[in-house]
Amino acid sequence: MNLLPLNHPMFAARTLRSFARSPTFSSLSPNWEGGVSMVQGASRGIGLEFVKHLLENNEKGHVVATCRNPGQATGLLELKNKFDERLCILELDVTNETTIKASAKSIEERYGSLNLLINASGILSIPNVLLPETTLNKVEKSSLLHAYEVNAVGPILVIKHLWPFLKAGGGSGTEREVAVVANISARVGSIGDNRLGGWHSYRASKTALNQLTKNVSVEFARKKDPIICILLHPGTVDTDLSRPFQRNVPEGKLFTKEFSVQKLMTIINNAKSQDNGKFFAWDGQEIPW
């Protein structure tokens, strides 16, 4: 085999191409002023409100918004018309890892780093497919597996594939000291807080999300990566997810999307390294596991 000398121009070109494909190349990415944020599950509800808040409250920050069907995401498309240079919309289905990998590749090519990841997708009910179980007799294997796949497995796979870019970004370009992964969970996922039972699929899948997130936070800390993972309970928010179940919500406990997201962003923006692995309610109070 003929080896090129180290000073040969073709050797330098090959080396650069090889280096550009390596996982560490993103660590040399530019420092994006205002940071780069990603909201997964951004076509409606809390996810869409997060995208809107990030764009309107950080005039230099860039936002990547992902959803299953970008062409039908009218709310995102309206924001794209207003914030064309700072909003990137990508297709991502948490039940299809190929789309997660493709989104990660697009982020690598366009930005090279990431400072904030919000996993906002989630399912509670689907007419004629998945209904909250008020009794054990209504539990179906298909419902349990589907809720687990969307609410727990998907967000963790997203973190897995975006890990290199969160590590490269850290807190650079933002006022935060580290990159933040914020997984939208729910108080009903707390085992210690469970006094009513029921809602088996939703509760169990959110509990699984909590444990997986805690695992990831421990690993990031052990590796001394500049990333923290937190779990957030948004309260009961007036969205399509909660709408069929709002009848019994106490007065004053049904929040607007704007109110909830503002509260959650305050937690995210004030998160410190010591908050890694914690589970917060919308008002900043920690929730028991």
Side-chain angles (χ1 to χ4, degrees), residues 34-40 45-59 61-64 115-120 174-176 178-184 228 230-235 237 256-272 275 280-284:
V36 182
S37 303
M38 173 175 162
V39 181
Q40 180 273 118
I46 290 179
L48 179 59
E49 187 60 32
F50 268 118
V51 175
K52 182 180 177 183
H53 181 98
L54 288 164
L55 290 168
E56 292 180 347
N57 290 273
N58 182 350
E59 62 181 20
H62 290 255
V63 179
V64 179
N115 309 102
L116 171 63
L117 168 62
I118 299 173
N119 277 308
T174 74
E175 296 182 358
R176 296 184 294 269
V178 290
V180 176
V181 174
N183 287 338
I184 304 302
I228 65 170
I230 59 176
L231 292 145
L232 298 175
H233 165 57
V237 184
T256 65
K257 297 184 294 289
E258 294 81 1
F259 175 85
S260 180
V261 165
Q262 183 179 22
K263 290 291 186 179
L264 297 180
M265 281 304 307
T266 297
I267 296 172
I268 290 171
N269 288 330
N270 289 296
K272 302 292 188 292
D275 295 320
F280 294 104
W282 59 272
D283 58 0

Side-chain angles (χ1 to χ4, degrees), residues 110-138:
R110 182 161 184 161
Y111 301 105
S113 64
L114 199 62
N115 309 102
L116 171 63
L117 168 62
I118 299 173
N119 277 308
S121 66
I123 56 169
L124 173 58
S125 66
I126 303 173
N128 302 317
V129 176
L130 192 160
L131 297 175
E133 312 93 339
T134 55
T135 173
L136 180 62
N137 291 330
K138 294 184 178 180

Side-chain angles (χ1 to χ4, degrees), residues 52 56 76-85:
K52 182 180 177 183
E56 292 180 347
L76 283 180
L77 296 176
E78 289 174 3
L79 288 173
K80 182 65 175 174
N81 289 334
K82 188 176 179 181
F83 301 98
D84 181 44
E85 294 298 319

Side-chain angles (χ1 to χ4, degrees), residues 16 30 46 56 84 94 104 108 113 120 127 165 170 177 231-232 251 254 270 285:
L16 182 58
I46 290 179
E56 292 180 347
D84 181 44
V94 291
E108 178 183 27
S113 64
F165 315 118
E177 61 186 36
L231 292 145
L232 298 175
E251 186 176 352
L254 180 62
N270 289 296
Q285 298 297 309

Side-chain angles (χ1 to χ4, degrees), residues 206-259:
K206 288 298 187 179
T207 303
L209 173 65
N210 294 353
Q211 180 69 286
L212 289 165
T213 305
K214 181 67 175 180
N215 272 355
V216 171
S217 73
V218 170
E219 181 170 356
F220 288 173
R222 184 180 297 127
K223 294 180 181 296
K224 294 181 168 51
D225 288 345
I227 314 167
I228 65 170
C229 297
I230 59 176
L231 292 145
L232 298 175
H233 165 57
T236 303
V237 184
D238 186 12
T239 64
D240 292 342
L241 183 144
S242 70
R243 201 151 288 135
F245 315 102
Q246 292 178 4
R247 184 175 57 184
N248 297 322
V249 177
E251 186 176 352
K253 293 297 183 180
L254 180 62
F255 302 148
T256 65
K257 297 184 294 289
E258 294 81 1
F259 175 85

